[in-house]
Amino acid sequence: TDLSEIVAYEHNQDRRPKASTVVLVQNPVTTELRLASLSTDPIQVSLYDLSGKECGMFELETGENSYAWPAGLGAGMYLLKIKTSVGIESMKVVKR
């Protein structure tokens, strides 16, 4: 996959799509969390369960990044909190 062609969108309050600097490459995930970053700035990603408990933290580099799914986290929905130099965004991720 050519990362320069990957752009994810989410809607802001004006209902216009806004570009994201991080893309969840595979959702749902099984054993590996794969994220792609188009940014050259450091990006910090935190993984939370739906109760708000932090379950993992990752530093992204430019390009595709793969991380083993944290041991002990079962199937279900989780949230990714993504901190960049321009702000914070979130994504839902499903673990099978």
Side-chain angles (χ1 to χ4, degrees):
T1 304
D2 182 359
L3 292 178
S4 63
E5 296 175 5
I6 297 176
V7 178
Y9 291 97
E10 70 179 59
H11 290 283
N12 58 21
Q13 292 179 353
D14 296 332
R15 299 282 187 218
R16 291 176 289 176
K18 93 177 170 182
S20 176
T21 56
V22 175
V23 175
L24 186 56
V25 176
Q26 179 183 350
N27 197 12
V29 302
T30 52
T31 59
E32 190 174 69
L33 180 63
R34 293 176 50 211
L35 301 164
S37 170
L38 301 175
S39 175
T40 55
D41 295 331
I43 296 176
Q44 198 174 59
V45 178
S46 300
L47 176 67
Y48 293 89
D49 65 16
L50 293 182
S51 73
K53 178 183 171 193
E54 187 175 282
C55 304
M57 186 179 290
F58 315 97
E59 286 281 331
L60 292 187
E61 297 177 8
T62 303
E64 191 169 316
N65 299 257
S66 296
Y67 305 96
W69 188 259
L73 293 184
M77 185 173 300
Y78 295 85
L79 298 173
L80 294 176
K81 180 178 169 184
I82 301 160
K83 291 183 186 180
T84 68
S85 59
V86 269
I88 298 173
E89 60 183 293
S90 62
M91 291 182 185
K92 294 177 187 174
V93 61
V94 175
K95 165 69 166 83
R96 281 195 184 170

